[in-house]
Amino acid sequence: MAFLRADVDRFCREVADLAPAIRLRRLAELRAMLDEVTNVLPRRRPRCLAAFEMASAS
C-alpha cells in the first residue's frame, strides 16, 4: 500500500502546477489506468440489474 501512496503523491506533485484542463485530462488518464488494473476480477452485477435482465429475457 505504501508504494501506491508514494505513486499518488508523486502524481499530485507532477500535476500541481499544470493548467486545470490539463490536470483534469491527466486525472482522467490516471482513472482509466487504475480501472484497467483493478478490473482484473469481474465485477458483480447488482441484484436488481440481474433480476431486470432475467425478466426482460422472458
Side-chain angles (χ1 to χ4, degrees):
M1 196 61 148
F3 72 91
L4 183 56
R5 286 190 182 131
D7 283 346
V8 170
D9 287 341
R10 179 185 49 79
F11 177 83
C12 291
R13 284 191 308 273
E14 288 176 5
V15 299
D17 295 328
L18 298 176
I22 297 171
R23 217 176 315 157
L24 287 173
R25 186 177 70 224
R26 294 283 309 272
L27 285 170
E29 292 168 356
L30 176 63
R31 177 174 286 175
M33 287 187 278
L34 289 172
D35 282 345
E36 285 181 31
V37 172
T38 57
N39 283 336
V40 174
L41 299 174
R43 291 186 180 174
R44 289 183 50 195
R45 277 194 195 99
R47 289 183 187 169
C48 59
L49 179 59
F52 174 77
E53 288 173 345
M54 284 193 304
S56 12
S58 306

